[in-house]
Amino acid sequence: MSVALKNVLVVDDEPLFVRSLADGLKSAGERDGFVVRTVTNGNDAILAMQSEPFDLVLTDLRMAGVDGFQLISWMISNKKAIPVVVMTAMPSIEARLQLRDSGVFTVLQKPVDLADVHKCIVTELGARRARVEGLAVSAFLQLVSMERVSCILTIRSGAKVGHMGICLLYTSDAADERSSV
């Protein structure tokens, strides 16, 4: 039985950069279960996402035409479940805040190290993601506690967006209780 490969889309307006990144990640992707597809602008990224499924998008911010911010905005409206990693040369404080408010928490500073990109892809693809709507906060927290997981919540109310991290800590009493069962 073969495992389906995860699809990673890399978006950057520097053709040599995306080609070298794709070539550099090819063997690691075969080993770790992902394939890299590249495009050189935001418009082609949108067309690619409309025609095939992707599990992760890595994008530059500054591109002609549809830039990284516009691409992320389109994804929020149309492909909300796909995680995004940003690669940029000089992320300003304002850009980082805007990215955080859009739900993008991972920013790789250019020039990127191939090993860092690979690690980031594996981490992002390995993260469990879920969308829950219309559930009471108390019920959600109970589920998180039962599953013994930590998570980051993105909370939206109208135009306002907030983020909350939940990290569960267990005392030695809980460990003793589990080991006695």
Side-chain angles (χ1 to χ4, degrees), residues 56-59 72 75 82-86 103-106 124 129:
L56 177 64
V57 172
L58 281 80
T59 185
I72 292 165
M75 290 178 67
I82 302 174
V84 178
V85 172
V86 166
V104 177
F105 296 101
T106 306
E124 288 291 329
R129 299 184 190 283

Side-chain angles (χ1 to χ4, degrees), residues 25-142:
L25 291 168
K26 185 173 179 157
S27 64
E30 290 170 354
R31 182 184 65 242
D32 293 327
F34 66 87
V35 293
V36 174
R37 166 125 188 263
T38 62
V39 295
T40 56
N41 63 65
N43 191 53
D44 286 349
I46 290 170
L47 293 173
M49 284 186 274
Q50 289 173 331
S51 64
E52 58 188 289
F54 287 95
D55 301 289
L56 177 64
V57 172
L58 281 80
T59 185
D60 189 10
L61 286 180
R62 295 183 185 192
M63 298 180 285
V66 176
D67 68 15
F69 286 112
Q70 293 167 319
L71 176 61
I72 292 165
S73 178
W74 179 87
M75 290 178 67
I76 289 170
S77 298
N78 298 279
K79 299 288 183 177
K80 195 176 292 191
I82 302 174
V84 178
V85 172
V86 166
M87 303 175 295
T88 187
M90 296 300 260
S92 67
I93 299 288
E94 295 81 17
R96 284 187 180 270
L97 291 173
Q98 186 177 352
L99 289 169
R100 187 199 65 201
D101 291 345
S102 298
V104 177
F105 296 101
T106 306
V107 177
L108 299 175
Q109 188 162 342
K110 286 182 172 180
V112 297
D113 180 73
L114 188 61
D116 290 341
V117 174
H118 172 247
K119 181 180 176 183
C120 180
I121 290 172
V122 170
T123 300
E124 288 291 329
L125 291 176
R128 293 188 335 183
R129 299 184 190 283
R131 181 179 173 95
V132 179
E133 292 184 25
L135 184 66
V137 173
S138 59
F140 177 77
L141 292 174
Q142 186 177 11

